[in-house]
Amino acid sequence: MPYVPHTPEDIRRMLGVIGAPSVAALFAEIGPEMRPKSFDVPDGKSEMAVLAQLEDLARKNAVNHVSFLGAGFYDHHIPAAVDALSMRSEFYTAYTPYQPEASQGTLQAIFEYQTAVTRLTGLTFANASVYDGGSALFEAAMMAVRHTDRRKLVVCEAVSPIYRVMLGSYTANLNLELVTIAHKDGCCDLAALTAALDDDTAAVLVQNPNFFGTLSDFTALFAAAKAKGVVSVISVYPVLQSVLKSPGEMGADVAVAEGQSLGLPLSFGGPYLGIMTCTRDMVRQMPGRMVGRTVDTKGRTGYVLTLQAREQHIRRQKATSNICSNQALCALRSLMHLCLLGEEGLRRTAEICMERAHYAAERLTAIDGVGLLSGSAPFGNEFAITLPVNAYQAIDKLTNRGFVPGFPLGRYYPGLENALLVACTEKTSTEQIGVFAEMLRGLLA
């Protein structure tokens, strides 16, 4: 029998409060031509039949492919303890920690997460995250706009195009000027970025490694930005932060990241984790929640939400942001992941990823007609190659054989239809790289 939560008496009482004589009258303003002719809902099935149908649908997913797809989201190994611990009910049912006397566990976990990510980026303050890496970049841009009272944003074209689409969407009606500086063969044009900074610029936004996988040192750019009163914003890849020069060492004001690579699986697009850290000068502009550690009147350690009034979260007109979110469970998973790997484990993970990527680049560029888009520029665990054929042609044929060779750069960058973005993680074996190279060689022969 169907599950209908409202009895006829319930419906009659609700209609009475609304002032409608019937359910049909409630929807009378919707014209007949706009109403569905049929909901096409099948008859109910037993639990066993439903499970069988769902399992049949699940078998259609291709889950055993070897993947070299990255583009900002990476298939890293997640220790089994992360799932075991994060799925404890006291974690996944915890509510917003407005009452510190009842939320010390959640608040402590957030505080420790903030501590971990500030150590990664080399900056002083962190929040409890926003939705994802793209919304974090937008929030950082708005921090700069509020801080400087300027309206111009200078963005490197090598910043993730996914993030740049989000940035354009969120700012479409905010009377801001977005200036995009073209990349040079997959590298940031540091000279052009520096030249674009002026007295109207609120922020310069860059990424390291950038979308093409290449690495840059933005120290000189950030110094030039500081001299002009411009806020420096950098998006980073958390795993590689264990081996690269940190945003703090480069002189960044705000560092953001997509936290998916720290303990979050690739689950059909989320949920993800927008990491945000900043300097002391910028902390009052930080959206989302921040937890501080203090002591009570008896000297006992305690944790509280700090630096922001509650209006930040409940009064739209008072808030620094209206799209911030307390992604506490995702943040907790990232904290667990970092703690289980430790400093040495995270560094070794990054080193293995880069070693595999450089081996893959060596094998692939040994094929006639294949080259590195960025030439001799340094890269991390991801790189772009140019092919003598359209990248989609290679993707279609190799995917049908169980290998996803990478991301087609022509999707976002006109003129790069023959370019393929290839990523490696610690889960990518040298044997898989060898098979991929030989399959691509056969395809191009």
Side-chain angles (χ1 to χ4, degrees), residues 102-116:
S103 307
Q104 285 298 292
T106 297
L107 289 166
Q108 181 178 350
I110 292 174
F111 180 84
E112 294 183 2
Y113 158 80
Q114 292 171 179
T115 303

Side-chain angles (χ1 to χ4, degrees), residues 365-390:
T365 55
I367 303 171
D368 288 342
V370 178
L372 286 173
L373 175 66
S374 302
S376 59
F379 61 89
N381 73 313
E382 197 164 18
F383 57 93
I385 56 174
T386 55
L387 306 172
V389 298
N390 187 288

Side-chain angles (χ1 to χ4, degrees), residues 402-422:
F403 276 68
V404 181
F407 184 87
L409 286 169
R411 178 173 178 176
Y412 290 111
Y413 293 94
L416 294 182
E417 287 73 19
N418 286 18
L420 186 69
L421 186 63
V422 180

Side-chain angles (χ1 to χ4, degrees), residues 254-282:
V254 186
V256 300
E258 170 54 64
Q260 176 274 322
S261 59
L262 303 177
L264 299 177
L266 293 169
S267 302
F268 295 92
Y272 290 149
L273 175 74
I275 295 172
M276 294 193 73
T277 63
C278 70
T279 61
R280 180 177 294 274
D281 287 344
M282 300 295 298

Side-chain angles (χ1 to χ4, degrees), residues 139-184:
E139 293 289 4
M142 295 311 297
M143 287 172 64
V145 169
R146 292 191 297 270
H147 183 75
T148 63
D149 199 26
R150 299 174 180 178
R151 315 298 297 176
K152 177 179 174 182
L153 301 172
V154 174
V155 187
C156 177
E157 191 185 21
V159 168
S160 168
I162 301 169
Y163 294 177
R164 288 189 287 112
V165 168
M166 294 174 69
L167 186 63
S169 299
Y170 285 141
T171 61
N173 297 311
L174 297 182
N175 191 31
L176 298 178
E177 178 186 4
L178 267 62
V179 177
T180 302
I181 304 301
H183 69 90
K184 294 178 65 175

